[in-house]
Amino acid sequence: MRWRRYGEDAALLECDSLEQMSAARATVAAADLADIVELVPGARSLLIEARPGSTVLEQVRALLKSADLEHPPQSRPREIVLDVRYDGEDLELVAETAGISVDEVVKLHTGAHYTVAFTGFAPGFGYLTGLPEPLRQSRLDTPRTRVPAGSVGVAGEFAGVYPRASPGGWRLLGHTDTVLFDSRAERPSLLAPGDHVRFQGTR
């Protein structure tokens, strides 16, 4: 890991892998340090924002230096279940690429247990790890100019759900009516790093 100051009151932790980032985030979150304002995880980075004038960044650096990131603290994550209609435009393409049937794609997708590693791209968009190997496929060669809100897709090692209509190149498996982001809600984003997610549904 590489520690870089990020302005006056933040630090950017550059990690070697997604797993290392997730372990570092869990370690810092479990410490529950009062002067941490926000933790912002990325695919290979963790931004740590501190309360101005505090010394908490030095505490975090010492904490991570001595932590066993191979065995990070275990929390009690929220469990979120999303109902899906498996009627996506790329369902057959995903099955063909994986060399399996469409029904097997649905079975694999619904049988896996996912974790929100980080959020980004659009408000409420969670990058979910835990995707079964056969479903780990490349993005589309030509992204769509508009992907409907609620579209459930896969790309690379991640699964995800589009919280609003936007351009996108993920392979689409289906659709959920669950609202992923509501700016008027007390908790605008349904998904947060560390949450556990399962998909359920049929064709």
Side-chain angles (χ1 to χ4, degrees):
M1 294 186 295
R2 290 160 296 284
W3 180 275
R4 301 184 186 278
R5 290 302 296 244
Y6 200 83
E8 292 292 326
D9 301 298
L12 184 68
L13 188 64
E14 296 180 345
C15 302
D16 297 327
S17 65
L18 176 63
E19 292 74 20
Q20 188 181 65
M21 181 284 297
S22 297
R25 186 202 63 80
T27 299
V28 177
D32 197 24
L33 300 170
D35 288 327
I36 294 292
V37 175
E38 189 173 13
L39 297 175
V40 184
R44 302 289 186 275
S45 66
L46 179 65
L47 179 66
I48 305 160
E49 183 183 354
R51 198 175 309 281
S54 75
T55 60
V56 73
L57 291 177
E58 286 73 16
Q59 297 176 52
V60 171
R61 189 168 188 175
L63 172 67
L64 291 174
K65 188 175 182 179
S66 62
D68 178 7
L69 296 183
E70 295 292 326
H71 303 89
Q74 299 298 309
S75 61
R76 298 181 62 183
R78 293 190 310 150
E79 299 281 347
I80 298 168
V81 179
L82 300 178
D83 292 312
V84 179
R85 294 192 303 276
Y86 284 92
D87 55 1
E89 296 178 53
D90 303 311
L91 192 57
E92 292 186 3
L93 173 62
V94 170
E96 180 182 350
T97 303
I100 59 179
S101 69
V102 167
D103 286 341
E104 287 174 307
V105 170
V106 174
K107 184 176 180 180
L108 282 173
H109 193 255
T110 56
H113 293 265
Y114 302 89
T115 300
V116 182
F118 58 98
T119 58
F121 167 61
F125 191 102
Y127 288 78
L128 312 181
T129 59
L131 188 66
E133 189 66 38
L135 305 185
R136 297 184 183 187
Q137 302 182 13
S138 63
R139 289 171 170 78
L140 298 174
D141 292 336
T142 303
R144 294 182 172 90
T145 57
R146 186 180 187 278
V147 176
S151 295
V152 178
V154 295
E157 63 185 301
F158 299 110
V161 182
Y162 286 80
R164 62 184 183 186
S166 67
W170 289 38
R171 298 189 181 200
L172 305 182
L173 303 181
H175 180 272
T176 180
D177 291 328
T178 302
V179 176
L180 275 291
F181 185 80
D182 181 357
S183 61
R184 298 163 297 181
E186 181 178 349
R187 183 188 178 113
S189 179
L190 175 65
L191 303 180
D195 289 346
H196 285 184
V197 178
R198 288 193 302 107
F199 296 97
Q200 64 180 17
T202 58
R203 297 177 60 193

